[in-house]
Amino acid sequence: MAAVAGTGTSLSANYYLRNFYTANRNAVTSSKRKEMTVGTLSQADATALHRAAKKLRNFNYEDDTTDSANIYGSVNAFIQVYNNTLSSGNKTDDASLNRYSRYLKSLSKEHSSELSRIGITVNSDGSLSANDNLLKSAKVSKVKTLFADDAEYITKVSRYSKKMAEKADSVVLSETLGSNIDLTL
């Protein structure tokens, strides 16, 4: 039987990472990531970030009795996927993927004070890091202000990651065809 968040079973960040990278599980491990093309890696990361944003937006944040361990695991996995997405987006020569990486960095910097209230630091390079003690003890209501369905931060992360994934699809196709054509519709 599969464990479901909110049913009394605490799920780890690794569980959520594997779930977010369902489309390309090889992108979870660093050794497999090294073997992937930049386009494929960007596609896997952006798709995983979109899935992570969707998961966080759909969490039940009703009150502070919500299963905080599962929220913590999901947020921790989100941070890893976000950082992977920035890294792969910055390695590509594609201007659109670079631009969306900059948008994500700018968005996180804009929301840095809200993120810090729940234990997430926006680093100088735009990446995120978690203070585990603060994040684990953050009130669900504070997490909700950033990650609930109507929250500006996660809504924009979702939008940017979806556009990155769509653009990365054409980059992967170009890599596959061996040319630099742009097939974005």
Side-chain angles (χ1 to χ4, degrees), residues 12-23 25 28 51 77:
S12 71
N14 285 333
Y15 167 82
Y16 288 107
L17 268 177
R18 288 189 309 274
N19 185 272
F20 298 155
Y21 279 102
T22 298
R25 295 264 172 113
V28 175
R51 287 178 59 85

Side-chain angles (χ1 to χ4, degrees), residues 36-46 88 91-92 97 164-165 167-173 175:
M36 299 172 80
T37 66
V38 174
T40 302
L41 200 53
S42 292
Q43 180 187 42
D45 291 337
S88 62
K91 290 179 183 173
T92 182
L97 291 175
M164 282 182 88
K167 180 58 184 168
D169 287 343
S170 68
V171 171
V172 169
L173 188 55
E175 287 175 347

Side-chain angles (χ1 to χ4, degrees), residues 22-169:
T22 298
N24 193 336
R25 295 264 172 113
N26 287 336
V28 175
T29 61
S30 60
S31 62
K32 294 287 185 181
R33 290 178 68 81
K34 291 175 186 174
E35 300 171 6
M36 299 172 80
T37 66
V38 174
T40 302
L41 200 53
S42 292
Q43 180 187 42
D45 291 337
T47 301
L49 183 59
H50 186 69
R51 287 178 59 85
K54 186 176 179 180
K55 174 69 175 173
L56 286 167
R57 290 177 75 186
N58 292 327
F59 236 107
N60 181 5
Y61 297 100
E62 289 305 313
D63 60 8
D64 284 338
T65 62
T66 301
D67 189 356
S68 60
N70 287 322
I71 292 172
Y72 166 76
S74 191
V75 169
N76 236 348
F78 165 82
I79 291 168
Q80 291 176 53
V81 173
Y82 173 93
N83 291 341
N84 287 346
T85 303
L86 287 185
S87 177
S88 62
N90 288 331
K91 290 179 183 173
T92 182
D93 292 334
D94 186 83
S96 295
L97 291 175
N98 288 183
R99 184 176 59 248
Y100 287 119
S101 290
R102 286 191 310 273
Y103 288 169
L104 286 170
K105 289 177 189 180
S106 177
L107 178 66
S108 291
K109 286 180 182 176
E110 180 183 322
H111 290 274
S112 62
S113 63
E114 297 157 88
L115 288 162
S116 70
R117 282 187 218 126
I118 64 167
I120 300 173
T121 302
V122 179
N123 302 312
S124 61
D125 65 354
S127 66
L128 303 177
S129 58
N131 176 323
D132 288 336
N133 292 331
L134 287 175
L135 187 56
K136 284 180 182 177
S137 66
K139 291 195 177 288
V140 172
S141 59
K142 288 184 180 181
V143 175
K144 179 181 178 179
T145 63
L146 283 161
F147 296 114
D149 191 36
D150 59 348
E152 178 187 24
Y153 178 74
I154 201 65
T155 299
K156 286 186 176 180
V157 167
S158 180
R159 185 178 317 130
Y160 296 154
S161 61
K162 182 177 181 180
K163 290 182 181 207
M164 282 182 88
E166 290 168 354
K167 180 58 184 168
D169 287 343

